[in-house]
Amino acid sequence: MENLKLFMLLLGCKPSGRHTEQHDVFFGIAASLRDLIPEIQAFGPEPERIHIDAWREVNTVDGYKVEIKPRDNSIGQHSKLFFINLGGYQPDKFEEQHYAVLTVQNDFASASKNAKETYFFKHNHFNGANSHIDDKYGIDVDDIYNVEDILSATQKAEYQIVLIPNTGLPEDKINLGYFKLSSL
């Protein structure tokens, strides 16, 4: 098996008839970012307009090494990799602020509790405009995702995310900019 990696991408697209760019987070498994292009295009409603605004090769989260292995139901692990999209507001800014959280926890409740402890959650709200996990007015575990659950059906069937305790790993590099799929 080639050296497969988990990628987290912030995809951008300005769909026909919209006035502003729309964004969504995408997770995919591949040997390289370029190898994900077919999955990215299948994910978006207008594949010819999609670009990447940010991406991260997910190698380490919360003191765990993140590895991709072939699906093997005999590999059991208690910890799971969760993705949480926090939303919040700042006075006099005509926009909702967002903060993406990746965390390794045993369950949705622990992931929710962890999200509430972030600086973003504690400081991006004011009276009448509370911080929240998107689509809710407070923390609700229905809006927290186990990353394996939001992979494409093909990737869910073929691979699994294995989390190995390993402290002292370097933090993942976050790549920011406007990345056209054709230039990957």
Side-chain angles (χ1 to χ4, degrees):
M1 180 172 85
E2 55 193 310
N3 187 19
L4 296 175
K5 303 165 195 149
L6 176 66
F7 289 91
M8 177 181 179
L9 288 69
L10 178 64
L11 299 178
C13 178
K14 186 176 175 190
S16 300
R18 301 291 182 186
H19 301 291
T20 61
E21 184 176 327
Q22 313 291 295
H23 292 96
D24 204 348
V25 173
F26 169 86
F27 287 90
I29 295 170
S32 71
L33 192 57
R34 183 171 198 36
D35 293 342
L36 276 178
I37 291 174
E39 292 271 345
I40 294 167
Q41 290 174 325
F43 180 74
E46 295 186 39
E48 68 284 354
R49 294 178 179 233
I50 295 175
H51 63 273
I52 300 170
D53 282 313
W55 66 274
R56 169 184 178 181
E57 185 179 305
V58 182
N59 296 301
T60 181
V61 177
D62 291 344
Y64 286 83
K65 182 177 180 183
V66 178
E67 291 188 355
I68 303 302
K69 302 283 186 189
R71 172 71 51 204
D72 178 356
N73 293 329
S74 69
I75 298 176
Q77 61 182 4
H78 296 288
S79 298
K80 296 170 183 61
L81 181 61
F82 290 94
F83 164 68
I84 305 162
N85 184 34
L86 293 174
Y89 305 95
Q90 295 176 355
D92 301 318
K93 283 194 173 184
F94 191 76
E95 61 188 331
E96 179 182 2
Q97 309 297 308
H98 286 273
Y99 185 66
V101 176
L102 280 183
T103 186
V104 174
Q105 302 293 327
N106 290 337
D107 53 38
F108 286 103
S110 297
S112 174
K113 182 179 179 189
N114 178 269
K116 288 180 182 180
E117 296 302 317
T118 63
Y119 180 89
F120 180 92
F121 188 84
K122 291 179 177 181
H123 294 93
N124 279 277
H125 62 88
F126 55 95
N127 191 19
N130 295 325
S131 298
H132 61 278
I133 291 179
D134 255 9
D135 296 331
K136 297 291 177 183
Y137 294 103
I139 293 285
D140 189 311
V141 296
D142 292 338
D143 295 318
I144 299 173
Y145 301 97
N146 177 341
V147 172
E148 279 193 357
D149 292 343
I150 57 176
L151 292 170
S152 71
T154 304
Q155 291 189 343
K156 275 193 282 193
E158 196 169 338
Y159 306 115
Q160 69 187 73
I161 298 169
V162 177
L163 304 166
I164 302 164
N166 191 339
T167 58
L169 295 170
E171 289 204 22
D172 295 339
K173 179 181 178 187
I174 295 175
N175 303 276
L176 302 169
Y178 184 94
F179 304 95
K180 290 183 177 183
L181 297 185
S182 62
S183 66
L184 295 179

